[in-house]
Amino acid sequence: MNNNNNTFKASKRLVVKIGSSLLTNSKGGVNRSVLKNVVSDIVWLINKNKEVIVVSSGAIALGREKLHLRQELTLNESQAAAARGQIELMTAWKNEFKKYKLQVAQILLSPSDAENKKSSRNAIATIENLISFNCIPIINENDTTSTDEIKFGDNDILASKISKLIKADHLILLSNVDGLYKEPPKNKKNDVLVTEIKSITKSIREMAGTASKLGKGGMISKIKAAEICMKSKCSVIITSGLKKDPIKSLSRKTTKSTRFLSK
């Protein structure tokens, strides 16, 4: 798969994951311009007869602002913030998709749901039905019941496990950087972006370890997510969600991204 107009041509089902550091602004509210651009591109995919599932972070960040909580939260405070913020998160998605006369549905999953056979079967059935009803599934980790030890890591791993469960062809990880750099980006002239990865090697993991932290998951969780997907014949793209057409632009050769090609 090369960086050309055929990026998603063979793909029927795509998972789009957006992190909290991208979806929320510095004041703890929804970053409206990012949301608008992402939704516009998802609609573009749907109009090309693609099935799109969204994995969205942001509930804790939004809830923290609404509840006027300090920056460093205890686990219980985070769970309360997630419960409050999930309402804001889904309202934002609902209102943006409403402009295109599209409906959304909320699915909250805990890590065990992706591993447990019965729960995962139920999750798959729910997603499949929602797609058949032309309703976009918006999935988030069930932060109100999850504990520190069993966190997915800013939903990167959750997105990869969902991609595996529903046999997605592509997982698009929208980040606030263009992809995996050989070293933490400093200045645009000397920054070296890894554009294509066919297998996760030790050196790739080391690059991810030195990359700057993004949200809660960082680049390491994105590499782990890519590894899960590649084993399930699902290709992964990391790209910046700060562009005007973050997904649509992936069809252009000039768009910066890191692509993990499934075998």
Side-chain angles (χ1 to χ4, degrees):
M1 180 186 68
N2 298 315
N3 289 9
N4 56 30
N5 291 327
N6 296 325
T7 299
F8 304 121
K9 193 174 181 182
S11 293
K12 177 65 181 164
R13 183 170 284 181
L14 300 98
V15 175
V16 176
K17 183 263 173 180
I18 179 165
S20 56
S21 59
L22 194 61
L23 198 58
T24 57
N25 59 34
S26 57
K27 293 178 181 176
V30 174
N31 189 324
R32 300 285 169 189
S33 62
V34 166
L35 184 65
K36 182 184 174 185
N37 292 337
V38 171
V39 168
S40 173
D41 276 12
I42 289 171
V43 172
W44 172 76
L45 286 170
I46 290 168
N47 289 338
K48 287 189 168 292
N49 296 317
K50 309 297 181 190
E51 296 172 351
V52 182
I53 295 92
V54 177
V55 176
S56 175
S57 304
I60 293 174
L62 295 171
R64 180 167 54 203
E65 174 61 24
K66 288 292 177 185
L67 296 174
H68 311 294
L69 297 170
R70 56 193 167 80
Q71 283 300 105
E72 286 300 315
L73 304 181
T74 65
L75 174 60
N76 292 136
E77 285 173 340
S78 292
Q79 290 170 331
R84 176 65 185 88
Q86 189 64 27
I87 296 169
E88 301 300 316
L89 185 65
M90 287 308 301
T91 301
W93 282 108
K94 185 189 86 167
N95 290 342
E96 200 56 47
F97 273 112
K98 195 177 179 182
K99 294 173 186 175
Y100 298 92
K101 296 184 169 61
L102 287 168
Q103 294 191 66
V104 300
Q106 169 185 271
I107 301 175
L108 295 175
L109 296 173
S110 60
S112 58
D113 293 327
E115 303 295 339
N116 179 284
K117 276 191 176 179
K118 189 178 179 184
S119 298
S120 61
R121 271 201 307 269
N122 288 336
I124 293 164
T126 301
I127 292 165
E128 298 278 5
N129 273 299
L130 288 169
I131 289 168
S132 71
F133 301 147
N134 296 319
C135 187
I136 297 142
I138 308 224
I139 303 170
N140 194 2
E141 182 179 355
N142 193 355
D143 287 314
T144 54
T145 57
S146 293
T147 63
D148 272 345
E149 292 77 28
I150 56 170
K151 284 285 182 190
F152 272 120
D154 201 28
N155 280 337
D156 293 319
I157 307 301
L158 174 59
S160 68
K161 291 191 174 187
I162 294 296
S163 300
K164 183 181 175 181
L165 280 178
I166 62 165
K167 296 179 171 62
D169 303 297
H170 261 98
L171 166 60
I172 302 165
L173 297 171
L174 294 177
S175 178
N176 48 13
V177 293
D178 293 314
L180 175 65
Y181 284 87
K182 287 197 173 179
E183 290 177 359
K186 290 176 186 139
N187 61 67
K188 296 198 172 174
K189 275 187 183 176
N190 300 322
D191 294 343
V192 181
L193 182 71
V194 183
T195 57
E196 196 171 278
I197 295 169
K198 291 179 179 175
S199 64
I200 311 282
T201 60
K202 186 171 177 260
S203 64
I204 295 293
R205 287 193 186 90
E206 284 168 357
M207 282 177 213
T210 57
S212 55
K213 288 282 179 242
L214 315 168
K216 189 171 64 197
M219 194 53 72
I220 291 172
S221 73
K222 287 171 175 53
I223 299 299
K224 285 178 183 172
E227 200 164 16
I228 291 167
C229 284
M230 289 168 84
K231 288 174 183 173
S232 307
K233 294 184 169 61
C234 174
S235 294
V236 178
I237 302 175
I238 303 172
T239 194
S240 172
L242 297 168
K243 300 186 286 285
K244 188 176 185 302
D245 305 308
I247 300 167
K248 203 174 179 180
S249 66
L250 291 167
S251 297
R252 296 195 290 268
K253 284 184 180 181
T254 52
T255 300
K256 290 181 178 178
S257 67
T258 299
R259 297 169 186 242
F260 300 81
L261 309 185
S262 65
K263 291 182 176 66

